[in-house]
Amino acid sequence: MILIIDFGSQFNQLIARRVRECNVYCQVDAPNVATLDYIKELKPEGIILSGGPCSIYDENSPVVDSGIFDLGIPVLGICYGMQFMVKTLGGEVKRSEKREYGFAELQIKEPCQIFSGIDSPTQCWMSHGDSISDLPEGFVTTGSTDNTPYAAAADPARKFYGLQFHPEVEHSLKGRDMLANFLFDICGCEKKWTMENFIKSSVAEIKATVGDKKVILGLSGGVDSTVAAALIHRAIGRNLTCIFVDNGLMRLNEREKLEESLTGKLDLNIKFVDASERFLSALDGVTDPEKKRKLIGNIFIDVFEDEAAKVEDAEFLAQGTLYPDVIESQSVFGGASDVIKSHHNVGGLPEDMKLKLVEPLKYLFKDEVRALGEEMDLDSELVWRQPFPGPGLGIRVLGEITKRRLDILRKADAIVVEEIKKAGFYKKVWQSFAVLLPIKSVGVMGDQRTYDYTIAMRAVTSKDAMTADWAHLPHDLLARISNRIINEVNGVNRMVYDITSKPPGTIEWE
């Protein structure tokens, strides 16, 4: 395994994903977590020191115990991580006269293992203000750019390597090869991180943790909670009780589809709770988006608590927490490293429930969760389901929520999803959905004047939802969707396509 010490880089998760893509397990820890005793117990094959937003000379710049360089473990320092390594080992770092940000051409000066099989020059991606001015004893310069003489350096005898650029980003064209060279040629890692192995170890761990006790899980129908449920069920069977709360804000036939795929095919023990009237009554007349979200969240917690209390002898609460949540909660700066959006687990359940947590996916990224679902032969529809907001259609019906407006949106949204799938774009876009706008416009259908609602269609491409671009879908596909919605959904006479990126917009409209 590889230990990544996070100095606050916005790319910390990307480094981890690149390592995992090589079928090598890794974990990300903040410097205050990565003590010498912790590292010795962990026994990593290698250590990667990430980049970070600080100057090495800032008063509160992050540091890790310098003893890591005496453990005999290979170390790769990236950007700030390289500067920390150089300064700690006796070199010098100074503020650059010219900040280097963006594309740069790396000239390989000295052959070394990390550049094995890579031709010079090669494109890389820089983002730094400080620069190295003198290397520690034992180091040699292995690469440079026009603005950075020490763009790469190494002490091969001690297996210390430094890259001033970011090999983990797509813009560094041979960056993945460099990381692979570090993992396999320098650290001697083996490709043992597979979902097949993960299932075996997770099932054994869940059995050892839970024993014959009962577990409760809030099932949303999303890929995270569904895969978590399937994995736990494989370990403890019917001792897992899933609670699915129907809030009346789900998509067309959603409950029925889930019931068929999860109870019929997987034999999951699911309690379906129809609380739709309770939700819709509370939302009557509410138009403010934040009030909607809070009402829906609070009612969900109340309903879930009521149902959970009915499960006798339950001692554990399972959640579909993913690794990004864990990384951000322990960041060097006490929160997300440098992110725009915070992640919220389904439920936001209160601490006084006194249930112990089971989080079998907490070391996985979203793409690994999907791979895990496929490895367990889950329905492809469930595994590849696009993200769906916790408040459901409550934040896609803009303005007041009524049963009629929800029904209009459900039918329109079903057409969007159906046509996107037919055209082969469902897995290519991050999300694709319909929004019902609280405005009406004049139209002509048949020979009659209409005055009906407008549907806005939203489709975006993204890797993590932190940023997103509107999907450049073919015009004939958009025309088909518009034609079907206007002809098949009573109450709609106009469709528009949202071409706003994030930022400045958000993916959801509310």
Side-chain angles (χ1 to χ4, degrees), residues 128 133 228 242 475:
H128 65 101
S133 56
C242 299
H475 289 184

Side-chain angles (χ1 to χ4, degrees), residues 226-388:
T226 301
V227 171
L231 188 59
I232 296 169
H233 178 263
R234 184 169 289 198
I236 63 171
R238 302 288 287 184
N239 275 351
L240 169 68
T241 299
C242 299
I243 299 173
F244 178 87
V245 178
D246 184 351
N247 56 14
L249 305 169
M250 310 304 289
R251 287 174 288 195
L252 190 66
N253 301 324
E254 187 144 27
R255 172 177 170 169
E256 292 78 8
K257 289 177 182 176
L258 282 171
E259 201 161 357
E260 179 186 350
S261 58
L262 294 179
T263 57
K265 296 177 182 177
L266 292 178
D267 193 33
L268 284 180
N269 178 22
I270 306 177
K271 293 179 69 175
F272 287 92
V273 183
D274 186 354
S276 55
E277 287 299 329
R278 183 170 174 179
F279 279 88
L280 296 180
S281 296
L283 290 166
D284 186 31
V286 178
T287 58
D288 179 79
E290 199 55 34
K291 286 184 178 176
K292 284 186 191 178
R293 284 180 175 273
K294 286 181 178 176
L295 267 173
I296 294 167
N298 290 336
I299 296 171
F300 173 84
I301 290 172
D302 290 343
V303 173
F304 188 91
E305 279 191 291
D306 290 346
E307 293 302 319
K310 298 174 186 176
V311 180
E312 293 182 7
D313 303 323
E315 292 190 16
F316 292 88
L317 171 69
Q319 291 190 146
T321 308
L322 301 191
Y323 201 31
D325 306 319
V326 177
I327 293 173
E328 289 167 10
S329 68
Q330 61 155 29
S331 166
V332 61
F333 298 114
S337 294
D338 191 11
V339 298
I340 302 160
K341 176 190 173 191
S342 59
H343 296 262
H344 303 279
N345 216 310
V346 173
L349 299 169
E351 294 178 7
D352 60 8
M353 287 189 73
K354 295 178 181 176
L355 295 172
K356 299 171 216 170
L357 272 182
V358 176
E359 298 171 300
L361 310 181
K362 68 179 179 179
Y363 293 121
L364 299 186
F365 291 101
K366 177 72 82 173
D367 55 335
E368 292 175 314
V369 173
R370 295 193 196 281
L372 176 60
E374 290 188 321
E375 185 69 31
M376 292 194 295
D377 292 324
L378 295 187
D379 192 321
S380 180
E381 287 278 325
L382 294 172
V383 171
W384 287 99
R385 185 185 182 200
Q386 293 175 355
F388 188 62

Side-chain angles (χ1 to χ4, degrees), residues 11 32 121 188 193 216 219 236 261 272 301 344 431 441 460 466 472 489 496:
F11 300 129
N32 63 320
W193 174 250
I216 301 169
L219 191 66
I236 63 171
S261 58
F272 287 92
I301 290 172
H344 303 279
Q431 280 174 278
S441 63
V460 297
M466 302 292 183
H472 296 243
V489 183
V496 296

